[in-house]
Amino acid sequence: MAKKQLEVLDALDVAKTQWYHFTAIIIAGMGFFTDAYDLFCISLVTKLLGRIYYHVEGSEKPGTLPPNVSASVNGVALCGTLAGQLFFGWLGDKMGRKRVYGLTLLLMFVCSVASGLSFGHDAKAVMGTLCFFRFWLGFGIGGDYPLSATIMSEYANKKTRGAFIAAVFAMQGFGILGGGIFAIIMSSIFKASFAAPPYNVDAIASTVPQADYLWRIILMVGALPAVLTYYWRMKMPETARYTALVAKNAKQAASDMSKVLQVDIEAEQKIFETGSSGFGLFSRQFARRHGLHLLGTTSTWFLLDIAFYSQNLFQKDIFSAIGWIPPAKTMNAVEEVYKIARAQTLIALCSTVPGYWFTVAFIDIIGRFAIQLMGFFFMTVFMFALAFPYNHWTHKENRIGFVVIYSLTFFFANFGPNATTFVVPAEIFPARLRSTCHGISAASGKLGAIVGAFGFLYLAQNQDKSKAEAGYPAGIGVKNSLIVLGVVNFLGLLFTFLVPESKGKSLEEMSGENEVET
């Protein structure tokens, strides 16, 4: 049996798209811009860090980060993000979205700046400092996932809600581009200002002392977008759905939204209670109503991120294959940063960013379920297309075809489950548990990212230990790793059937908060 919908929530559901919607997208999206910037930039500077701090005298190749150090530098932010998603997701439901929102941004700002600082000059001190602050940077970024998604879903109207939440997530694409473009600019300046020979001409002189400033500047600039939006985050009112349905203050919710929507909304004095309105996350009622939904959102996000993050492992091989990145020993340190930044920016521009915005354009037309199913399907197809004839793709004349198919897997990840797994958990759970459930789903995804980024780093090594990268044991090879990823994508397709379609429905309709149990 349905119950009466609060007028303020009705007003939000049917509100026309207004300037405040776009303001909210930019304010929320800047967190994701910073997130992508930081994740992108660390992959740019790890090669440089290896040259500066792990140079081996007399070696034919430039220094590289040892496997355990590389895993720590790349993975510690993912671990922080996982913890932050769980903690701030829970806190957002307990204290309110707005009160916690500014805290995550401050944490991101402080830790972005601190990531470029070092307590000491030796490799151990620099890497220790970097890992410490990147963990807490990840912790703040993790909080941004459930809070940004929940705030945007609770502000949006039901007609264009999917596009608005997806647009917040799509700011990641601009973060990747922004990071790449800034790294290109800075490395060009350093290259012009501090000339250096290639490594194979003069190993020591190829890494100029000033290069130690380059990676610090690139990391620290990630703090700027976060701090620029702090003031506007603090000016945003609490979402009407939290104020009315969780804090039980319909009058305040109506007042806040009257100012935002610039219309008069009559404030109800009474909140209509339901017999089941207080059920918790671990209750039988939640398991019966939303248990399968939570299994669907956590499993699909977990499986997606295994495939999505492990794909990044093959980027360096692809860039080298088509001549975007020459062998490391033929470049100096700053030139290598420039070439890697240019290559990754081109991949982002051609496949990553378009995929995000295709989702924004079509999510409220064809729906979340269809986009996610289609994305997983094509990711599976393209991964098997790379895997089974892998030897064919290794021949020089076929490498461009490999790059095209590889780019299409990125495109359909973003015009597919990478966007929808972020959108759906913000729409289908009750207001008092929405942020928590989104945090749990996102944390499951980051667990998949850790499995993808590190499990496959070892798994993809050559089956002959003598041909594996230095410090790594023998693996199953790239071909078999790609087959495993294809299977992972197919499992994601199957688990998508547990996720309900929320297109065109109000949040209360999806969560069952409009129903009175009899």
Side-chain angles (χ1 to χ4, degrees):
M1 181 178 138
K3 66 172 179 175
K4 183 178 179 287
Q5 172 91 319
L6 289 170
E7 187 179 331
V8 64
L9 305 187
D10 267 336
L12 279 169
D13 279 340
V14 299
K16 291 180 180 177
T17 300
Q18 299 175 33
W19 179 246
Y20 90 90
H21 285 119
F22 297 108
T23 307
I25 288 169
I26 293 166
I27 294 169
M30 274 300 128
F32 284 91
F33 184 100
T34 304
D35 166 17
Y37 182 100
D38 287 307
L39 291 178
F40 173 83
C41 284
I42 199 65
S43 66
L44 292 175
V45 301
T46 45
K47 297 272 190 187
L48 182 59
L49 290 169
R51 284 184 183 245
I52 295 170
Y53 294 105
Y54 293 92
H55 171 69
V56 178
E57 195 66 44
S59 172
E60 286 186 11
K61 294 180 181 179
T64 56
L65 297 180
N68 61 327
V69 176
S70 179
S72 298
V73 168
N74 286 295
V76 72
L78 295 177
C79 296
T81 304
L82 190 155
Q85 286 164 336
L86 292 172
F87 176 72
F88 285 113
W90 168 79
L91 204 61
D93 282 334
K94 293 297 176 188
M95 293 177 58
R97 312 346 178 181
K98 180 191 172 179
R99 289 176 69 183
V100 184
Y101 208 27
L103 183 60
T104 63
L105 210 60
L106 275 181
L107 196 56
M108 288 157 69
F109 168 72
V110 171
C111 294
S112 286
V113 173
S115 292
L117 306 175
S118 303
F119 301 132
H121 298 286
D122 64 313
K124 193 173 182 181
V126 173
M127 295 304 139
T129 306
L130 183 62
C131 287
F132 176 80
F133 285 114
R134 280 191 65 78
F135 174 85
W136 291 108
L137 172 66
F139 193 71
I141 287 170
D144 234 48
Y145 273 74
L147 292 170
S148 289
T150 301
I151 285 170
M152 200 64 241
S153 74
E154 293 181 347
Y155 264 116
N157 60 53
K158 63 184 179 182
K159 186 179 178 183
T160 56
R161 186 180 61 236
F164 289 159
I165 305 172
V168 169
F169 194 62
M171 292 295 282
Q172 280 193 332
F174 290 126
I176 293 168
L177 277 181
I181 291 166
F182 183 72
I184 289 169
I185 292 167
M186 290 309 301
S187 57
S188 298
I189 292 169
F190 272 68
K191 196 164 64 166
S193 305
F194 311 107
Y199 183 87
N200 56 8
V201 173
D202 188 334
I204 300 294
S206 70
T207 305
V208 294
Q210 292 83 358
D212 197 38
Y213 293 107
L214 178 60
W215 70 268
R216 297 173 192 274
I217 292 168
I218 290 171
L219 289 186
M220 291 168 83
V221 164
L224 280 178
V227 77
L228 287 173
T229 51
Y230 180 77
Y231 171 77
W232 285 278
R233 278 201 181 189
M234 292 297 92
K235 292 269 287 180
M236 288 177 80
E238 181 58 86
T239 71
R241 285 184 159 89
Y242 182 86
T243 305
L245 298 174
V246 184
K248 306 295 184 188
N249 189 343
K251 188 175 181 181
Q252 184 62 49
S255 172
D256 288 344
M257 289 305 105
S258 292
K259 293 172 189 172
V260 168
L261 295 169
Q262 297 180 330
V263 293
D264 290 326
I265 300 172
E266 186 180 337
E268 291 97 332
Q269 298 302 313
K270 184 183 176 184
I271 295 287
F272 292 84
E273 302 283 353
T274 71
S276 62
S277 67
F279 67 75
L281 183 64
F282 301 106
S283 65
R284 284 185 179 180
Q285 292 102 313
F286 181 87
R288 189 173 71 249
R289 283 173 175 244
H290 301 291
L292 284 177
H293 298 162
L294 188 59
L295 175 62
T297 58
T298 52
S299 59
T300 51
W301 208 336
F302 174 77
L303 292 163
L304 162 78
D305 275 6
I306 290 176
F308 190 74
Y309 277 81
S310 59
Q311 279 181 340
N312 293 323
L313 293 177
F314 308 117
Q315 279 200 13
K316 63 180 186 299
D317 304 317
I318 289 175
F319 296 155
S320 300
I322 60 173
W324 283 354
I325 302 179
K329 65 182 179 181
T330 65
M331 298 181 284
N332 64 47
V334 174
E335 188 182 2
E336 187 174 32
V337 173
Y338 173 83
K339 291 281 175 67
I340 294 171
R342 186 183 65 175
Q344 294 195 7
T345 302
L346 283 169
I347 283 281
L349 199 58
C350 295
S351 62
T352 307
V353 173
Y356 280 124
W357 291 99
F358 263 72
T359 301
V360 174
F362 291 105
I363 192 166
D364 287 312
I365 298 171
I366 61 178
R368 291 77 163 139
F369 179 81
I371 287 177
Q372 186 161 312
L373 206 65
M374 175 193 67
F376 271 128
F377 173 77
F378 282 113
M379 286 173 73
T380 305
V381 169
F382 290 132
M383 203 59 80
F384 285 144
L386 292 175
F388 290 115
Y390 183 70
N391 292 333
H392 167 81
W393 298 120
T394 57
H395 297 121
K396 194 171 184 178
E397 65 273 14
N398 301 324
R399 285 171 175 172
I400 295 296
F402 185 93
V403 173
V404 170
I405 295 176
Y406 175 80
S407 296
L408 283 169
T409 63
F410 266 107
F411 175 80
F412 280 105
N414 291 311
F415 182 32
N418 194 37
T420 54
T421 52
F422 177 81
V423 173
V424 174
E427 298 182 306
I428 63 175
F429 299 108
R432 67 189 173 281
L433 297 171
R434 187 169 290 134
S435 181
T436 302
C437 290
H438 195 285
I440 291 169
S441 303
S444 175
K446 276 297 170 282
L447 186 61
I450 292 166
V451 171
F454 304 111
F456 280 86
L457 189 59
Y458 288 87
L459 210 60
Q461 294 299 321
N462 199 293
Q463 290 167 294
D464 181 351
K465 192 179 186 314
S466 64
K467 294 180 182 177
E469 290 180 37
Y472 289 94
I476 62 172
V478 173
K479 177 178 179 175
N480 291 330
S481 296
L482 287 168
I483 292 171
V484 171
L485 290 179
V487 172
V488 166
N489 288 328
F490 182 70
L491 288 174
L493 184 149
L494 296 180
F495 276 99
T496 295
F497 287 95
L498 296 177
V499 181
E501 178 57 74
S502 49
K503 176 171 75 83
K505 297 178 181 177
S506 75
L507 296 179
E508 289 67 42
E509 192 180 345
M510 287 305 302
S511 65
E513 288 168 292
N514 271 352
E515 296 171 8
V516 178
E517 290 196 350
T518 54

